[in-house]
C-alpha cells in the first residue's frame, strides 16, 4: 500500500473492485448452466441437505423473500430444487436440493476454483494460504459460510 491515504490503497476498495471483476468472471462461467450467482447462493444454503422454507432462506441469505421466490422458481424449472408444502404448516413452502441441483452446484464450485486459480496466479504457495486464511476469517466474522 504505497499511498495509505488514497482510495485505491484501501482494502475495501481493492476487495470491492476485485470482487466485481472476478465475480463477473464467475458469473459468466456459471451462466453456461443457466445460473446466476444468487442461484448458486441459494443452492449452497440448501446444500446441507436440510429442507428450508423460503422465509428461512431469505433470512439466512439476507435478501427479500420475493427474491427467494423468484430464484426458487427458476431453480425448480431447472430441476435443481424441489418445492413442497410443509406438512406441519401448509402455508410454508419447503425447498430441497435435488441430485441435479447438487451436480449444478458441483459445476459452480469447479468454475469458482478456475477463477480462484486466475486470482491466485501471481501468488506463491504461502501467499495463497495466507490469503485463504485471511478471507476465511473475514467471511466468518461477517457470518458467511467458510467451508
Amino acid at each position: 500500500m504505497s499511498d495509505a491515504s488514497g482510495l485505491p490503497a484501501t482494502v475495501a476498495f481493492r476487495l470491492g473492485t476485485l470482487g466485481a471483476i472476478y465475480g463477473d468472471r464467475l458469473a459468466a462461467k456459471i451462466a453456461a448452466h443457466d445460473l446466476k450467482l444468487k442461484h448458486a447462493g441459494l443452492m449452497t444454503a440448501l446444500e446441507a441437505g436440510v429442507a428450508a422454507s423460503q422465509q428461512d432462506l431469505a433470512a439466512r441469505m439476507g435478501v427479500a423473500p420475493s427474491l427467494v421466490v423468484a430464484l426458487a422458481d427458476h431453480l425448480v424449472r431447472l430441476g435443481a430444487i424441489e418445492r413442497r408444502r410443509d406438512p406441519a404448516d401448509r402455508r410454508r413452502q419447503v425447498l430441497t436440493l435435488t441430485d441435479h441441483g447438487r451436480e449444478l452446484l458441483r459445476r459452480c464450485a469447479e468454475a469458482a476454483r478456475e477463477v480462484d486459480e486466475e486470482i491466485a496466479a501471481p501468488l506463491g504457495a504461502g501467499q495463497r494460504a495466507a490469503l485463504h486464511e485471511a478471507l476465511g476469517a473475514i467471511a466468518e466474522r461477517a457470518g458467511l459460510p467458510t467451508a
Side-chain angles (χ1 to χ4, degrees), residues 12 24 28 36-37 48 59 72 74 83 89 101 103-104 109 111 125 143:
D24 287 349
K36 294 183 178 177
L37 291 174
H74 182 77
R83 180 189 276 137
D89 182 351
E103 174 59 23
L104 286 173

Side-chain angles (χ1 to χ4, degrees), residues 2-92:
S2 58
D3 179 5
S5 65
L7 181 61
T10 65
V11 172
F13 183 82
R14 287 180 179 183
L15 282 176
T17 303
L18 292 169
I21 291 167
Y22 290 109
D24 287 349
R25 289 185 187 171
L26 177 57
K29 287 180 178 287
I30 70 171
H33 305 293
D34 200 16
L35 296 171
K36 294 183 178 177
L37 291 174
K38 289 192 183 216
H39 293 121
L42 189 146
M43 290 190 300
T44 297
L46 290 173
E47 186 178 28
V50 178
S53 74
Q54 293 176 150
Q55 289 285 357
D56 294 342
L57 284 166
R60 196 178 322 165
M61 294 172 67
V63 299
S66 59
L67 177 59
V68 171
V69 171
L71 295 170
D73 287 347
H74 182 77
L75 291 170
V76 166
R77 283 192 297 275
L78 289 178
I81 65 170
E82 292 179 343
R83 180 189 276 137
R84 295 190 206 130
R85 290 269 175 216
D86 184 345
D89 182 351
R90 301 291 296 162
R91 295 169 295 171
R92 286 174 28 122

